[in-house]
Amino acid sequence: GDSVTQMEGPVTLSEEAFLTINCTYTATGYPSLFWYVQYPGEGLQLLLKATKADDKGSNKGFEATYRKETTSFHLEKGSVQVSDSAVYFCALSEGSNAGKSTFGDGTTLTVKP
Amino acid sequence: SQTIHQWPATLVQPVGSPLSLECTVEGTSNPNLYWYRQAAGRGLQLLFYSVGIGQISSEVPQNLSASRPQDRQFILSSKKLLLSDSGFYLCAWNSEAARGYTFGSGTRLTVV
């Protein structure tokens, strides 16, 4: 079945540092890939997505590129801020599966001033 | 625009009591609807999903049930809560897989 493996956390960075959170996936077809962000006590918010190979999703300074050859969708940001502290989830969805998504376990990011 | 409402935000219930959590979506029709549970410090577990009125699929056997009495209403229920039912419950919807989910704000359930 489908699966998503995320870099284990927690990750602690200083403000303005470069962020990479690794995500690799296993899927039978050609899934869409997503990153979600969850701030403390809240639901998840869609951060960015990519629907086909070599697509780059971007939002709020975050980027991720759909790499079919390495089955990866790593999240990056050039300069993190304290307000980026949150839990980040990588996910995939295959169109034939009632729209269901498979999620990674989440990576907690803490940014210190 | 589409919005999703989930309530209550927090709930403290004794063991053995019933449960009803409600989720409604506005601004769309025939959405796919989902209930997830998130245990403390852990990932998301899909509990139920629905692709239409009265159509419920269960992912994990447990003492919870779900119903979809109207197109944009999704209800999570239990007749008798267990301590292990504590967690953060999230409702979500989408119209197609490639669009991703829109999540509700969640219900924090503590069973005591």
Side-chain angles (χ1 to χ4, degrees), chain A residues 32 34 36 38 41-44 46 49 51 89 93-95 98-101 103-105, chain B residues 32 34 36 38 42-44 46 49 51 59 88 90 94 97-101 103-105:
Chain A
S32 296
F34 309 91
Y36 291 86
Q38 183 180 32
E42 299 183 7
L44 281 71
L46 180 62
K49 66 179 181 181
T51 57
F89 291 90
S93 184
E94 296 204 72
K100 292 187 293 180
S101 283
F103 286 82
D105 288 339
Chain B
N32 298 319
Y34 310 85
Y36 280 86
Q38 185 177 26
R42 301 182 68 178
L44 297 165
L46 179 62
Y49 66 94
V51 298
E59 290 286 299
F88 191 49
L90 290 159
N94 69 12
R99 291 181 179 270
Y101 287 169
F103 282 87
S105 53

Side-chain angles (χ1 to χ4, degrees), chain A residues 6-12 19 21 34-48 60 62 75 81-91 103-111, chain B residues 38-44 88 90 103 108:
Chain A
Q6 270 184 250
M7 169 180 171
E8 287 192 23
V11 174
T12 302
L19 169 70
I21 300 178
F34 309 91
W35 277 101
Y36 291 86
V37 59
Q38 183 180 32
Y39 299 102
E42 299 183 7
L44 281 71
Q45 301 174 29
L46 180 62
L47 180 59
L48 53 84
K60 300 181 181 180
F62 291 90
L75 182 67
Q81 305 299 313
V82 172
S83 57
D84 294 326
S85 298
V87 182
Y88 292 83
F89 291 90
C90 184
F103 286 82
D105 288 339
T107 302
T108 301
L109 170 66
T110 301
V111 180
Chain B
Q38 185 177 26
R42 301 182 68 178
L44 297 165
F88 191 49
L90 290 159
F103 282 87
R108 174 77 57 194

Side-chain angles (χ1 to χ4, degrees), chain B residues 8-108:
Chain B
T10 59
L11 196 57
V12 180
Q13 292 285 95
V15 168
S17 64
L19 173 73
S20 181
L21 302 181
E22 189 162 341
C23 173
T24 59
V25 179
E26 296 178 357
T28 188
S29 58
N30 197 31
N32 298 319
L33 295 169
Y34 310 85
W35 279 112
Y36 280 86
R37 178 169 59 201
Q38 185 177 26
R42 301 182 68 178
L44 297 165
Q45 180 186 37
L46 179 62
L47 302 175
F48 300 95
Y49 66 94
S50 171
V51 298
I53 296 174
Q55 301 178 58
I56 308 296
S57 297
S58 174
E59 290 286 299
V60 181
Q62 58 212 316
N63 72 323
L64 298 172
S65 62
S67 61
R68 184 170 177 173
Q70 300 181 43
D71 181 43
R72 289 167 288 180
Q73 184 184 29
F74 204 24
I75 297 171
L76 183 69
S77 303
S78 173
K79 292 182 180 178
K80 289 186 178 181
L81 284 168
L82 307 173
L83 287 174
S84 58
D85 291 323
S86 294
F88 191 49
Y89 288 82
L90 290 159
C91 181
W93 78 273
N94 69 12
S95 56
E96 58 181 281
R99 291 181 179 270
Y101 287 169
T102 300
F103 282 87
S105 53
T107 296
R108 174 77 57 194

Side-chain angles (χ1 to χ4, degrees), chain A residues 55-67:
Chain A
D55 269 2
K56 178 185 283 187
S58 62
N59 186 25
K60 300 181 181 180
F62 291 90
E63 296 183 334
T65 301
Y66 190 143
R67 301 288 188 199

